[in-house]
Coordinates of all heavy atoms in Angstrom, one line a residue:
D327 N 232.4 -61.1 15.8 CA 232.2 -62.4 16.4 C 233.1 -62.4 17.7 O 234.3 -62.9 17.8 CB 232.7 -63.6 15.5 CG 232.1 -64.8 15.8 OD1 231.3 -64.9 16.8 OD2 232.2 -65.8 15.0
S328 N 232.5 -61.6 18.6 CA 233.3 -61.3 19.9 C 233.5 -62.5 20.7 O 234.4 -62.6 21.5 CB 232.5 -60.3 20.7 OG 232.3 -59.2 20.0
W329 N 232.6 -63.5 20.7 CA 232.7 -64.8 21.4 C 232.9 -66.0 20.5 O 232.6 -67.1 20.8 CB 231.5 -65.0 22.3 CG 231.1 -63.8 23.0 CD1 230.0 -63.1 23.1 CD2 232.0 -63.1 23.9 NE1 230.0 -61.9 23.8 CE2 231.2 -61.9 24.5 CE3 233.2 -63.3 24.4 CZ2 231.8 -61.0 25.3 CZ3 233.8 -62.3 25.4 CH2 233.1 -61.2 25.8
A330 N 233.8 -65.7 19.4 CA 234.1 -66.7 18.5 C 234.9 -67.9 19.1 O 234.9 -69.0 18.7 CB 234.9 -66.2 17.4
G331 N 235.7 -67.6 20.2 CA 236.6 -68.5 20.7 C 236.1 -69.5 21.7 O 237.0 -70.1 22.5
L332 N 234.9 -69.6 21.9 CA 234.3 -70.5 23.0 C 234.6 -71.9 22.8 O 234.6 -72.7 23.8 CB 232.7 -70.2 23.1 CG 232.3 -68.8 23.6 CD1 230.8 -68.7 23.5 CD2 232.7 -68.6 25.0
L333 N 234.8 -72.4 21.6 CA 234.9 -73.8 21.3 C 236.3 -74.1 20.8 O 237.0 -73.3 20.3 CB 233.9 -74.2 20.2 CG 232.4 -74.0 20.6 CD1 231.5 -74.4 19.4 CD2 232.1 -74.8 21.8
E334 N 236.7 -75.4 20.9 CA 237.9 -75.9 20.4 C 237.6 -76.1 18.8 O 236.4 -76.1 18.4 CB 238.4 -77.1 21.0 CG 238.0 -78.5 20.5 CD 236.5 -78.7 20.5 OE1 235.8 -78.0 21.3 OE2 236.0 -79.6 19.9
L335 N 238.7 -76.2 18.0 CA 238.5 -76.2 16.6 C 237.5 -77.2 16.0 O 236.7 -76.7 15.2 CB 240.0 -76.5 16.0 CG 240.2 -76.3 14.5 CD1 239.7 -74.9 14.1 CD2 241.6 -76.6 14.2
K336 N 237.5 -78.4 16.5 CA 236.7 -79.5 15.9 C 235.2 -79.1 16.0 O 234.4 -79.1 15.1 CB 237.0 -80.8 16.5 CG 236.6 -81.9 15.7 CD 237.1 -83.2 16.3 CE 236.2 -84.4 15.8 NZ 236.3 -85.5 16.8
S337 N 234.9 -78.7 17.2 CA 233.4 -78.4 17.5 C 233.0 -77.2 16.7 O 232.0 -77.1 16.2 CB 233.2 -78.2 19.1 OG 233.5 -79.3 19.7
W338 N 233.9 -76.2 16.7 CA 233.6 -74.9 15.9 C 233.4 -75.2 14.5 O 232.4 -74.8 13.8 CB 234.8 -74.0 16.1 CG 234.5 -72.7 15.3 CD1 233.8 -71.6 15.7 CD2 235.0 -72.4 13.9 NE1 233.7 -70.7 14.6 CE2 234.5 -71.1 13.6 CE3 235.8 -73.1 12.9 CZ2 234.8 -70.5 12.3 CZ3 236.0 -72.5 11.8 CH2 235.5 -71.2 11.4
R339 N 234.2 -76.1 13.9 CA 234.0 -76.5 12.5 C 232.7 -77.2 12.3 O 232.0 -76.9 11.2 CB 235.1 -77.4 12.1 CG 236.4 -76.8 11.6 CD 237.3 -77.7 11.0 NE 238.7 -77.1 10.7 CZ 239.8 -77.7 10.9 NH1 239.9 -78.9 11.3 NH2 240.9 -77.1 10.5
A340 N 232.3 -78.1 13.1 CA 231.0 -78.8 12.9 C 229.8 -78.0 13.2 O 228.9 -78.1 12.5 CB 231.1 -80.0 13.8
L341 N 229.8 -77.2 14.3 CA 228.6 -76.6 14.8 C 228.5 -75.1 14.4 O 227.3 -74.6 14.3 CB 228.5 -76.7 16.3 CG 228.6 -78.1 17.0 CD1 228.8 -78.0 18.4 CD2 227.3 -78.8 16.6
V342 N 229.5 -74.5 14.2 CA 229.5 -73.0 14.0 C 229.9 -72.5 12.6 O 229.2 -71.7 11.9 CB 230.3 -72.3 15.0 CG1 230.4 -70.8 14.8 CG2 230.0 -72.7 16.4
R343 N 231.0 -73.1 12.1 CA 231.5 -72.7 10.7 C 230.5 -72.6 9.6 O 230.4 -71.6 8.8 CB 232.7 -73.5 10.4 CG 233.4 -72.9 9.2 CD 234.6 -73.8 8.8 NE 235.3 -73.3 7.6 CZ 234.9 -73.6 6.4 NH1 233.8 -74.3 6.2 NH2 235.6 -73.0 5.4
P344 N 229.7 -73.6 9.4 CA 228.8 -73.6 8.2 C 227.9 -72.3 8.3 O 227.6 -71.8 7.2 CB 227.9 -74.9 8.5 CG 228.7 -75.7 9.3 CD 229.4 -74.9 10.2
H345 N 227.4 -71.9 9.4 CA 226.5 -70.8 9.5 C 227.2 -69.4 9.3 O 226.7 -68.6 8.5 CB 225.8 -70.8 10.9 CG 225.1 -72.0 11.2 ND1 223.8 -72.3 10.8 CD2 225.5 -73.1 12.0 CE1 223.4 -73.5 11.2 NE2 224.4 -74.0 11.9
L346 N 228.4 -69.4 9.8 CA 229.1 -68.1 9.6 C 229.5 -68.0 8.1 O 229.4 -67.0 7.5 CB 230.4 -68.2 10.5 CG 231.3 -66.9 10.3 CD1 230.5 -65.7 10.6 CD2 232.6 -67.0 11.3
L347 N 229.9 -69.1 7.5 CA 230.3 -69.2 6.1 C 229.1 -68.7 5.2 O 229.2 -67.9 4.3 CB 230.7 -70.7 5.7 CG 231.0 -70.9 4.3 CD1 232.3 -70.0 3.8 CD2 231.4 -72.4 4.0
R348 N 227.9 -69.3 5.6 CA 226.7 -69.0 4.8 C 226.4 -67.5 4.9 O 226.0 -66.8 4.0 CB 225.5 -69.8 5.3 CG 224.2 -69.5 4.5 CD 223.4 -70.8 4.5 NE 222.0 -70.3 4.1 CZ 221.0 -70.5 4.9 NH1 221.1 -71.1 6.0 NH2 219.8 -70.1 4.4
L349 N 226.6 -66.9 6.1 CA 226.3 -65.5 6.3 C 227.2 -64.7 5.3 O 226.8 -63.8 4.6 CB 226.5 -65.1 7.8 CG 226.5 -63.5 8.0 CD1 225.1 -62.9 7.7 CD2 226.8 -63.2 9.4
L350 N 228.5 -65.0 5.4 CA 229.5 -64.2 4.7 C 229.3 -64.4 3.2 O 229.4 -63.5 2.4 CB 230.9 -64.8 5.0 CG 231.3 -64.4 6.5 CD1 232.6 -65.2 6.8 CD2 231.4 -63.0 6.7
E351 N 228.9 -65.7 2.7 CA 228.6 -65.9 1.3 C 227.4 -65.1 0.8 O 227.4 -64.5 -0.3 CB 228.4 -67.4 1.0 CG 229.7 -68.1 1.1 CD 229.5 -69.7 0.9 OE1 228.5 -70.1 1.0 OE2 230.6 -70.3 0.6
T352 N 226.3 -65.0 1.6 CA 225.2 -64.4 1.4 C 225.5 -62.9 1.2 O 225.0 -62.2 0.2 CB 224.0 -64.6 2.4 OG1 223.9 -66.0 2.6 CG2 222.7 -64.0 2.0
L353 N 226.3 -62.3 2.1 CA 226.6 -60.9 1.9 C 227.5 -60.6 0.7 O 227.3 -59.7 0.0 CB 227.4 -60.5 3.2 CG 226.7 -60.5 4.5 CD1 227.6 -60.1 5.7 CD2 225.5 -59.6 4.5
G354 N 228.3 -61.6 0.4 CA 229.2 -61.5 -0.7 C 228.4 -61.5 -2.0 O 228.7 -60.6 -2.9
E355 N 227.5 -62.4 -2.1 CA 226.7 -62.4 -3.3 C 225.8 -61.1 -3.5 O 225.5 -60.7 -4.6 CB 225.6 -63.6 -3.2 CG 226.3 -65.0 -3.5 CD 225.5 -66.1 -2.9 OE1 224.3 -65.9 -2.5 OE2 226.2 -67.2 -2.7
A356 N 225.5 -60.5 -2.4 CA 224.8 -59.2 -2.4 C 225.7 -58.0 -2.7 O 225.2 -56.9 -2.7 CB 223.9 -59.0 -1.2
G357 N 227.0 -58.3 -2.8 CA 227.9 -57.2 -3.0 C 228.2 -56.3 -1.8 O 228.6 -55.1 -1.9
V358 N 228.0 -56.9 -0.6 CA 228.3 -56.0 0.5 C 229.7 -56.3 1.1 O 230.1 -57.4 1.4 CB 227.4 -56.5 1.7 CG1 227.5 -55.7 3.0 CG2 225.9 -56.5 1.2
P359 N 230.6 -55.2 1.1 CA 232.0 -55.5 1.6 C 231.9 -55.9 3.1 O 231.2 -55.3 3.9 CB 232.6 -54.1 1.4 CG 231.8 -53.5 0.4 CD 230.4 -54.0 0.6
R360 N 232.7 -56.9 3.4 CA 232.7 -57.5 4.7 C 234.0 -57.3 5.5 O 235.0 -57.8 5.1 CB 232.5 -59.0 4.6 CG 231.2 -59.4 3.8 CD 231.4 -60.8 3.1 NE 232.4 -60.7 2.0 CZ 232.6 -61.7 1.1 NH1 231.8 -62.7 1.1 NH2 233.5 -61.5 0.2
I361 N 233.8 -56.9 6.7 CA 235.0 -56.9 7.7 C 234.6 -57.9 8.8 O 233.5 -57.7 9.4 CB 235.1 -55.5 8.4 CG1 235.3 -54.3 7.3 CG2 236.3 -55.5 9.4 CD1 235.3 -52.9 8.0

Side-chain angles (χ1 to χ4, degrees):
D327 212 351
S328 302
W329 309 122
L332 291 172
L333 300 178
E334 93 296 344
L335 188 54
K336 198 171 160 210
S337 301
W338 178 83
R339 277 191 185 140
L341 301 171
V342 179
R343 185 181 180 278
H345 303 281
L346 182 57
L347 179 62
R348 180 150 163 242
L349 171 64
L350 296 169
E351 284 175 347
T352 308
L353 296 175
E355 283 157 19
V358 182
R360 301 152 293 189
I361 305 173

